Amino acid sequence: MGMRFEVLKQDSRTGARLGRLTTPHGVVDTPVFMPVGTQGTVKTMTPEEVRDLGARIILSNTYHLYLRPGHELVREAGGLHRFMHWDGPILTDSGGFQVFSLAALRKLSDEGVEFRSHHDGSRHFFTPEQVVAVQEALGSDIAMVLDECAPYPCSYEEARTAMRRTTHWAARARAAWNGGGATTLFGIIQGSVYRDLREESARALVDLDFPGYGIGGLSVGEPKPLMCEALEWVIPLIPEDRPRYLMGVGSPDCLFEGIARGVDMFDCVLPTRMARHGAVFTHAGRLVVRNAPNARDFGPLDPGCTCYTCRHFSRAYVHHLLKAGEVLGIRLTTIHNLHFVLDLARRIREAIAEDRFQSLKEQFLATCLTPARIYSKTT
Protein backbone atom coordinates (compact mmCIF):
# COMPACT_ATOMS: atom_id res chain seq x y z
CA MET A 1 0.00 0.00 0.00
CA GLY A 2 2.92 2.36 0.55
CA MET A 3 5.45 3.97 -1.74
CA ARG A 4 7.85 2.27 -4.17
CA PHE A 5 10.78 3.94 -5.92
CA GLU A 6 12.96 2.74 -8.75
CA VAL A 7 15.81 4.35 -10.66
CA LEU A 8 15.28 3.92 -14.40
CA LYS A 9 18.36 5.64 -15.85
CA GLN A 10 21.49 7.49 -14.75
CA ASP A 11 22.91 10.33 -16.85
CA SER A 12 26.29 9.37 -18.32
CA ARG A 13 28.04 12.66 -17.41
CA THR A 14 26.43 13.80 -14.15
CA GLY A 15 24.55 12.48 -11.14
CA ALA A 16 21.19 13.22 -12.78
CA ARG A 17 18.80 10.26 -12.83
CA LEU A 18 15.35 9.30 -13.99
CA GLY A 19 13.12 7.58 -11.48
CA ARG A 20 9.59 6.42 -10.87
CA LEU A 21 7.76 6.98 -7.60
CA THR A 22 4.69 4.79 -7.14
CA THR A 23 2.24 5.86 -4.42
CA PRO A 24 -1.28 4.85 -3.41
CA HIS A 25 -2.61 7.82 -5.41
CA GLY A 26 -0.57 7.49 -8.56
CA VAL A 27 2.79 7.29 -10.27
CA VAL A 28 5.22 10.21 -10.37
CA ASP A 29 8.15 10.48 -12.77
CA THR A 30 11.27 12.02 -11.27
CA PRO A 31 13.02 14.44 -11.15
CA VAL A 32 9.86 16.22 -10.12
CA PHE A 33 8.86 19.69 -8.96
CA MET A 34 5.98 19.71 -6.46
CA PRO A 35 3.76 22.82 -6.40
CA VAL A 36 3.04 23.98 -2.87
CA GLY A 37 -0.55 23.87 -1.65
CA THR A 38 0.16 25.02 1.89
CA GLN A 39 -3.39 25.09 3.22
CA GLY A 40 -4.87 22.46 0.93
CA THR A 41 -4.82 24.65 -2.17
CA VAL A 42 -2.26 25.86 -4.68
CA LYS A 43 -3.05 29.56 -4.38
CA THR A 44 -5.57 30.87 -6.97
CA MET A 45 -5.68 27.51 -8.83
CA THR A 46 -8.21 24.69 -9.05
CA PRO A 47 -6.90 21.11 -8.75
CA GLU A 48 -7.85 20.45 -12.38
CA GLU A 49 -5.80 23.45 -13.51
CA VAL A 50 -2.78 22.29 -11.52
CA ARG A 51 -3.02 18.82 -13.04
CA ASP A 52 -3.47 20.23 -16.55
CA LEU A 53 -0.22 22.17 -16.09
CA GLY A 54 1.58 18.86 -15.61
CA ALA A 55 1.72 18.50 -11.81
CA ARG A 56 1.36 14.93 -10.55
CA ILE A 57 2.16 15.50 -6.86
CA ILE A 58 1.67 18.50 -4.61
CA LEU A 59 2.85 19.50 -1.15
CA SER A 60 0.72 20.64 1.80
CA ASN A 61 1.68 21.87 5.26
CA THR A 62 1.00 19.96 8.46
CA TYR A 63 1.34 22.98 10.75
CA HIS A 64 -1.23 25.06 8.89
CA LEU A 65 -3.72 22.23 8.40
CA TYR A 66 -3.36 21.15 12.04
CA LEU A 67 -4.31 24.65 13.20
CA ARG A 68 -7.01 25.24 10.59
CA PRO A 69 -9.29 23.42 9.83
CA GLY A 70 -7.78 20.67 12.02
CA HIS A 71 -6.59 17.20 11.08
CA GLU A 72 -9.56 15.48 12.72
CA LEU A 73 -11.97 17.46 10.56
CA VAL A 74 -9.94 16.51 7.48
CA ARG A 75 -10.03 12.85 8.57
CA GLU A 76 -13.81 13.13 9.02
CA ALA A 77 -14.06 14.52 5.48
CA GLY A 78 -12.37 11.41 4.13
CA GLY A 79 -8.78 12.65 4.11
CA LEU A 80 -7.01 15.55 2.46
CA HIS A 81 -7.32 14.15 -1.07
CA ARG A 82 -11.09 14.07 -0.89
CA PHE A 83 -11.32 17.28 1.15
CA MET A 84 -9.42 19.33 -1.47
CA HIS A 85 -10.54 17.33 -4.54
CA TRP A 86 -7.01 16.25 -5.54
CA ASP A 87 -6.70 12.64 -6.61
CA GLY A 88 -2.92 12.57 -7.07
CA PRO A 89 -0.19 12.01 -4.47
CA ILE A 90 0.30 14.49 -1.63
CA LEU A 91 3.47 15.06 0.38
CA THR A 92 3.01 16.87 3.69
CA ASP A 93 5.94 18.51 5.41
CA SER A 94 6.09 18.18 9.18
CA GLY A 95 5.41 21.84 9.94
CA GLY A 96 8.75 22.02 11.71
CA PHE A 97 10.04 24.83 9.54
CA GLN A 98 6.95 26.94 10.20
CA VAL A 99 7.13 26.30 13.94
CA PHE A 100 10.81 27.12 14.15
CA SER A 101 10.44 30.27 12.05
CA LEU A 102 8.12 31.62 14.77
CA ALA A 103 10.97 32.07 17.23
CA ALA A 104 9.02 34.36 19.57
CA LEU A 105 6.10 31.93 19.74
CA ARG A 106 7.80 28.61 20.49
CA LYS A 107 9.88 26.77 23.08
CA LEU A 108 12.08 23.79 22.19
CA SER A 109 12.96 20.74 24.24
CA ASP A 110 14.12 17.22 23.49
CA GLU A 111 10.53 16.09 24.09
CA GLY A 112 9.12 18.31 21.33
CA VAL A 113 8.17 21.90 20.64
CA GLU A 114 5.61 24.06 22.39
CA PHE A 115 4.24 26.88 20.26
CA ARG A 116 1.52 29.45 20.07
CA SER A 117 -0.82 29.62 17.12
CA HIS A 118 -0.14 32.62 14.92
CA HIS A 119 -3.92 32.85 14.45
CA ASP A 120 -5.16 33.24 18.01
CA GLY A 121 -2.24 32.69 20.38
CA SER A 122 -3.53 29.32 21.63
CA ARG A 123 -0.89 26.91 22.97
CA HIS A 124 0.02 23.65 21.25
CA PHE A 125 2.69 20.99 21.59
CA PHE A 126 4.20 18.95 18.77
CA THR A 127 6.02 15.70 19.47
CA PRO A 128 7.62 13.55 16.77
CA GLU A 129 4.99 10.89 17.34
CA GLN A 130 2.10 13.35 17.16
CA VAL A 131 3.34 14.86 13.90
CA VAL A 132 3.35 11.39 12.33
CA ALA A 133 -0.19 10.77 13.62
CA VAL A 134 -1.43 14.11 12.26
CA GLN A 135 -0.06 13.35 8.79
CA GLU A 136 -1.56 9.87 8.84
CA ALA A 137 -4.91 11.48 9.74
CA LEU A 138 -4.53 13.80 6.76
CA GLY A 139 -3.94 10.73 4.59
CA SER A 140 -0.60 11.91 3.17
CA ASP A 141 1.13 9.67 0.66
CA ILE A 142 4.49 10.91 1.95
CA ALA A 143 5.00 12.39 5.43
CA MET A 144 8.07 14.12 6.84
CA VAL A 145 9.54 13.70 10.32
CA LEU A 146 9.57 16.59 12.78
CA ASP A 147 12.94 18.32 12.49
CA GLU A 148 14.75 21.36 13.82
CA CYS A 149 15.96 23.62 11.03
CA ALA A 150 18.98 25.64 12.17
CA PRO A 151 19.07 29.20 10.78
CA TYR A 152 21.82 30.59 8.59
CA PRO A 153 24.18 31.78 9.79
CA CYS A 154 24.50 29.81 13.02
CA SER A 155 27.36 28.58 15.15
CA TYR A 156 28.72 25.05 14.96
CA GLU A 157 27.30 24.33 18.41
CA GLU A 158 23.82 25.54 17.42
CA ALA A 159 23.90 23.44 14.26
CA ARG A 160 25.07 20.36 16.15
CA THR A 161 22.35 20.71 18.80
CA ALA A 162 19.65 21.08 16.13
CA MET A 163 21.01 18.18 14.07
CA ARG A 164 21.23 15.78 16.99
CA ARG A 165 17.77 16.72 18.21
CA THR A 166 16.47 16.09 14.69
CA THR A 167 18.11 12.65 14.73
CA HIS A 168 16.59 11.86 18.13
CA TRP A 169 13.16 12.94 16.93
CA ALA A 170 13.58 10.96 13.70
CA ALA A 171 14.20 7.76 15.67
CA ARG A 172 11.03 8.36 17.69
CA ALA A 173 9.01 9.15 14.56
CA ARG A 174 10.34 6.02 12.85
CA ALA A 175 9.26 3.91 15.82
CA ALA A 176 5.80 5.51 15.85
CA TRP A 177 5.23 4.95 12.13
CA ASN A 178 3.80 1.49 11.56
CA GLY A 179 5.22 1.20 8.04
CA GLY A 180 2.31 -0.86 6.79
CA GLY A 181 -0.24 1.79 5.89
CA ALA A 182 -0.71 4.13 2.97
CA THR A 183 1.55 6.87 4.38
CA THR A 184 5.31 6.63 3.81
CA LEU A 185 7.69 8.45 6.17
CA PHE A 186 10.85 10.30 5.08
CA GLY A 187 13.72 11.33 7.33
CA ILE A 188 15.33 14.79 7.09
CA ILE A 189 19.08 15.41 6.98
CA GLN A 190 20.23 18.53 8.83
CA GLY A 191 23.59 20.00 9.87
CA SER A 192 23.62 23.51 8.36
CA VAL A 193 26.80 24.17 6.31
CA TYR A 194 29.12 22.00 8.43
CA ARG A 195 30.32 18.93 6.58
CA ASP A 196 30.90 16.64 9.55
CA LEU A 197 27.44 17.44 10.93
CA ARG A 198 25.76 16.82 7.57
CA GLU A 199 27.55 13.51 7.21
CA GLU A 200 26.77 12.47 10.79
CA SER A 201 23.10 13.29 10.19
CA ALA A 202 22.96 11.37 6.91
CA ARG A 203 24.61 8.26 8.34
CA ALA A 204 22.37 8.22 11.41
CA LEU A 205 19.20 8.56 9.34
CA VAL A 206 20.30 5.92 6.85
CA ASP A 207 20.84 3.58 9.82
CA LEU A 208 17.18 4.17 10.69
CA ASP A 209 16.27 2.86 7.21
CA PHE A 210 13.74 5.42 6.01
CA PRO A 211 12.08 4.80 2.62
CA GLY A 212 13.22 8.27 1.48
CA TYR A 213 15.29 11.21 2.64
CA GLY A 214 14.73 14.93 2.71
CA ILE A 215 17.68 17.30 2.71
CA GLY A 216 16.59 20.20 4.91
CA GLY A 217 18.12 23.39 6.22
CA LEU A 218 19.18 24.69 2.80
CA SER A 219 17.72 27.61 0.87
CA VAL A 220 17.65 29.53 4.16
CA GLY A 221 20.02 32.32 3.14
CA GLU A 222 23.31 30.52 2.59
CA PRO A 223 25.34 31.26 -0.59
CA LYS A 224 24.37 29.01 -3.46
CA PRO A 225 27.83 27.36 -3.70
CA LEU A 226 27.45 26.21 -0.08
CA MET A 227 24.10 24.63 -0.92
CA CYS A 228 25.68 22.75 -3.81
CA GLU A 229 28.60 21.68 -1.64
CA ALA A 230 26.28 20.37 1.06
CA LEU A 231 24.49 18.24 -1.55
CA GLU A 232 27.83 16.79 -2.64
CA TRP A 233 28.58 15.82 0.97
CA VAL A 234 25.33 13.98 1.70
CA ILE A 235 23.96 12.53 -1.53
CA PRO A 236 26.68 9.83 -1.81
CA LEU A 237 25.65 8.66 1.68
CA ILE A 238 21.98 8.12 0.73
CA PRO A 239 21.24 4.66 -0.69
CA GLU A 240 20.77 4.79 -4.44
CA ASP A 241 17.39 3.07 -4.26
CA ARG A 242 15.85 5.79 -2.05
CA PRO A 243 14.38 9.08 -3.33
CA ARG A 244 16.28 12.26 -2.43
CA TYR A 245 14.19 15.35 -1.74
CA LEU A 246 15.76 18.83 -1.60
CA MET A 247 13.30 20.74 0.56
CA GLY A 248 12.18 24.28 -0.22
CA VAL A 249 14.25 24.72 -3.38
CA GLY A 250 12.70 25.44 -6.76
CA SER A 251 14.33 28.25 -8.77
CA PRO A 252 15.24 27.03 -12.26
CA ASP A 253 19.00 27.26 -11.75
CA CYS A 254 18.76 25.34 -8.46
CA LEU A 255 16.68 22.63 -10.13
CA PHE A 256 19.53 22.07 -12.57
CA GLU A 257 22.19 22.14 -9.85
CA GLY A 258 20.28 19.77 -7.59
CA ILE A 259 19.40 17.31 -10.36
CA ALA A 260 23.02 17.30 -11.58
CA ARG A 261 23.98 16.07 -8.11
CA GLY A 262 21.32 13.36 -7.93
CA VAL A 263 18.27 15.05 -6.36
CA ASP A 264 14.90 13.54 -7.33
CA MET A 265 12.28 15.80 -5.71
CA PHE A 266 11.86 19.55 -5.15
CA ASP A 267 9.26 21.93 -3.77
CA CYS A 268 9.13 25.69 -3.40
CA VAL A 269 6.65 28.54 -3.04
CA LEU A 270 8.78 30.67 -5.38
CA PRO A 271 6.68 30.29 -8.57
CA THR A 272 3.38 31.16 -6.85
CA ARG A 273 4.86 33.82 -4.56
CA MET A 274 6.60 35.58 -7.44
CA ALA A 275 3.33 35.48 -9.36
CA ARG A 276 1.45 37.18 -6.52
CA HIS A 277 4.05 39.95 -6.55
CA GLY A 278 3.71 40.47 -10.28
CA ALA A 279 6.90 38.73 -11.45
CA VAL A 280 7.34 35.78 -13.82
CA PHE A 281 10.02 33.45 -15.15
CA THR A 282 10.92 33.79 -18.82
CA HIS A 283 13.58 32.19 -20.98
CA ALA A 284 15.34 35.57 -21.08
CA GLY A 285 15.27 36.08 -17.34
CA ARG A 286 12.95 37.22 -14.59
CA LEU A 287 10.30 39.72 -15.73
CA VAL A 288 8.51 42.08 -13.34
CA VAL A 289 5.24 42.50 -15.20
CA ARG A 290 4.08 45.24 -12.84
CA ASN A 291 6.87 47.53 -14.03
CA ALA A 292 5.91 50.49 -16.23
CA PRO A 293 7.71 49.40 -19.46
CA ASN A 294 5.18 46.57 -19.82
CA ALA A 295 2.18 48.90 -19.94
CA ARG A 296 2.41 49.15 -23.75
CA ASP A 297 4.02 45.82 -24.54
CA PHE A 298 1.51 43.77 -26.52
CA GLY A 299 3.65 40.66 -26.76
CA PRO A 300 3.29 37.57 -24.51
CA LEU A 301 5.00 37.23 -21.15
CA ASP A 302 7.51 34.81 -22.69
CA PRO A 303 7.74 34.47 -26.50
CA GLY A 304 7.52 30.81 -27.43
CA CYS A 305 5.79 29.79 -24.19
CA THR A 306 2.72 27.61 -24.76
CA CYS A 307 0.92 28.23 -21.46
CA TYR A 308 -2.66 29.52 -21.42
CA THR A 309 -1.56 33.00 -20.36
CA CYS A 310 1.00 33.46 -23.12
CA ARG A 311 -1.31 32.05 -25.80
CA HIS A 312 -4.13 34.49 -25.01
CA PHE A 313 -2.92 37.60 -23.19
CA SER A 314 -0.31 40.34 -23.56
CA ARG A 315 2.13 41.80 -21.06
CA ALA A 316 0.13 45.03 -21.28
CA TYR A 317 -3.11 43.31 -20.27
CA VAL A 318 -1.55 41.36 -17.38
CA HIS A 319 0.20 44.58 -16.26
CA HIS A 320 -3.18 46.35 -16.27
CA LEU A 321 -4.82 43.59 -14.21
CA LEU A 322 -2.04 43.63 -11.63
CA LYS A 323 -2.09 47.40 -11.27
CA ALA A 324 -5.88 47.34 -10.99
CA GLY A 325 -5.76 44.68 -8.25
CA GLU A 326 -7.79 42.20 -10.28
CA VAL A 327 -7.53 38.59 -9.11
CA LEU A 328 -7.26 37.40 -12.71
CA GLY A 329 -3.85 39.08 -12.90
CA ILE A 330 -2.27 36.83 -10.27
CA ARG A 331 -4.10 33.81 -11.66
CA LEU A 332 -2.50 34.42 -15.04
CA THR A 333 0.98 34.96 -13.62
CA THR A 334 0.58 31.86 -11.44
CA ILE A 335 -0.47 29.75 -14.44
CA HIS A 336 2.58 30.94 -16.34
CA ASN A 337 5.10 30.38 -13.53
CA LEU A 338 3.84 26.91 -12.67
CA HIS A 339 3.84 25.95 -16.34
CA PHE A 340 7.39 27.26 -16.69
CA VAL A 341 8.80 25.21 -13.81
CA LEU A 342 6.76 22.06 -14.44
CA ASP A 343 7.59 22.13 -18.15
CA LEU A 344 11.26 22.66 -17.33
CA ALA A 345 11.19 19.53 -15.14
CA ARG A 346 9.58 17.63 -18.03
CA ARG A 347 12.27 18.82 -20.44
CA ILE A 348 14.96 17.81 -17.96
CA ARG A 349 13.50 14.30 -17.69
CA GLU A 350 13.51 14.03 -21.49
CA ALA A 351 17.11 15.24 -21.62
CA ILE A 352 18.25 12.67 -19.06
CA ALA A 353 16.51 9.92 -21.02
CA GLU A 354 18.34 11.04 -24.17
CA ASP A 355 21.74 11.60 -22.50
CA ARG A 356 21.79 15.34 -23.13
CA PHE A 357 21.14 16.72 -19.64
CA GLN A 358 24.47 18.54 -19.41
CA SER A 359 23.98 20.32 -22.72
CA LEU A 360 20.46 21.40 -21.74
CA LYS A 361 21.80 22.68 -18.42
CA GLU A 362 24.56 24.69 -20.07
CA GLN A 363 22.24 26.12 -22.71
CA PHE A 364 19.54 27.07 -20.21
CA LEU A 365 21.85 28.71 -17.68
CA ALA A 366 23.62 30.66 -20.43
CA THR A 367 20.38 32.26 -21.64
CA CYS A 368 18.07 32.42 -18.63
CA LEU A 369 19.10 34.87 -15.93
CA THR A 370 17.50 33.31 -12.87
CA PRO A 371 16.71 35.15 -9.60
CA ALA A 372 19.76 36.69 -7.99
CA ARG A 373 19.10 35.07 -4.65
CA ILE A 374 17.72 31.76 -3.42
CA TYR A 375 14.32 32.34 -1.87
CA SER A 376 13.20 31.00 1.51
CA LYS A 377 10.62 28.24 1.58
CA THR A 378 8.33 30.04 4.04
CA THR A 379 4.80 30.62 2.87
Side-chain angles (χ1 to χ4, degrees):
M1 291 182 63
M3 181 205 78
R4 299 192 309 276
F5 179 71
E6 55 183 325
V7 177
L8 303 177
K9 181 180 175 63
Q10 178 91 31
D11 181 64
S12 61
R13 298 175 58 189
T14 70
R17 58 194 204 160
L18 281 178
R20 180 172 295 139
L21 195 67
T22 303
T23 78
H25 288 91
V27 176
V28 179
D29 294 322
T30 64
V32 63
F33 176 80
M34 301 179 286
V36 176
T38 299
Q39 304 196 68
T41 175
V42 177
K43 293 186 188 301
T44 79
M45 304 289 288
T46 69
E48 288 83 1
E49 289 171 330
V50 175
R51 177 170 284 280
D52 287 347
L53 287 170
R56 293 298 176 264
I57 178 171
I58 63 171
L59 178 143
S60 287
N61 184 274
T62 300
Y63 166 82
H64 287 284
L65 293 173
Y66 163 82
L67 289 177
R68 189 172 60 189
H71 60 289
E72 291 298 347
L73 185 147
V74 174
R75 190 207 301 268
E76 183 181 342
L80 186 56
H81 296 82
R82 181 173 296 178
F83 190 53
M84 66 177 290
H85 183 55
W86 172 260
D87 61 2
I90 297 174
L91 182 150
T92 47
D93 62 22
S94 68
F97 185 90
Q98 284 66 37
V99 169
F100 298 121
S101 68
L102 304 172
L105 301 176
R106 49 85 170 168
K107 181 179 179 181
L108 286 167
S109 70
D110 287 343
E111 179 59 26
V113 55
E114 179 184 328
F115 62 96
R116 289 179 178 269
S117 165
H118 68 284
H119 296 304
D120 58 13
S122 57
R123 291 183 179 273
H124 303 268
F125 195 80
F126 269 177
T127 66
E129 296 85 357
Q130 181 191 13
V131 167
V132 171
V134 168
Q135 293 177 90
E136 289 179 332
L138 294 173
S140 313
D141 294 87
I142 300 173
M144 306 303 296
V145 299
L146 183 65
D147 65 321
E148 180 178 352
C149 179
Y152 179 87
C154 69
S155 69
Y156 181 87
E157 290 72 22
E158 290 172 317
R160 179 173 58 187
T161 298
M163 181 275 291
R164 291 184 174 171
R165 180 174 284 141
T166 293
T167 302
H168 171 64
W169 285 351
R172 289 170 52 188
R174 182 71 175 82
W177 172 60
N178 60 32
T183 299
T184 296
L185 187 67
F186 280 23
I188 301 177
I189 298 166
Q190 290 288 354
S192 187
V193 294
Y194 301 101
R195 179 168 187 166
D196 63 322
L197 299 183
R198 283 280 173 185
E199 291 178 343
E200 179 183 337
S201 177
R203 291 190 177 98
L205 290 172
V206 168
D207 285 345
L208 291 170
D209 193 28
F210 283 97
Y213 295 90
I215 303 167
L218 298 174
S219 187
V220 292
E222 79 283 356
K224 192 183 307 178
L226 275 180
M227 182 196 78
C228 294
E229 196 172 13
L231 294 176
E232 291 166 5
W233 298 335
V234 302
I235 284 179
L237 302 177
I238 301 173
E240 291 187 0
D241 63 348
R242 309 297 165 91
R244 306 148 175 173
Y245 164 31
L246 180 54
M247 304 177 70
V249 174
S251 64
D253 56 336
C254 290
L255 287 180
F256 274 107
E257 297 298 348
I259 290 168
R261 290 163 173 82
V263 174
D264 305 299
M265 303 168 67
F266 301 82
D267 81 281
C268 194
V269 298
L270 179 58
T272 49
R273 174 183 286 164
M274 276 179 54
R276 295 196 303 277
H277 288 85
V280 295
F281 295 119
T282 79
H283 287 86
R286 185 180 177 203
L287 172 70
V288 182
V289 193
R290 293 181 61 92
N291 285 355
N294 297 298
R296 282 184 163 78
D297 188 332
F298 301 108
L301 298 180
D302 189 8
C305 177
T306 60
C307 80
Y308 172 81
T309 302
C310 289
R311 284 187 286 114
H312 296 286
F313 303 102
S314 67
R315 293 183 181 189
Y317 180 65
V318 178
H319 169 88
H320 156 68
L321 294 176
L322 294 169
K323 297 296 283 188
E326 291 288 346
V327 173
L328 180 59
I330 60 174
R331 275 182 44 76
L332 293 178
T333 52
T334 299
I335 288 169
H336 172 80
N337 277 351
L338 287 176
H339 173 272
F340 188 96
V341 178
L342 290 164
D343 189 63
L344 179 60
R346 178 192 61 79
R347 291 165 55 200
I348 289 173
R349 291 192 296 270
E350 289 181 353
I352 297 171
E354 297 167 5
D355 257 338
R356 53 180 180 84
F357 169 77
Q358 185 62 25
S359 61
L360 176 64
K361 177 175 181 279
E362 291 170 358
Q363 177 187 25
F364 184 91
L365 296 182
T367 58
C368 183
L369 303 176
T370 51
R373 65 186 178 93
I374 298 175
Y375 285 67
S376 167
K377 63 182 176 184
T378 54
T379 58

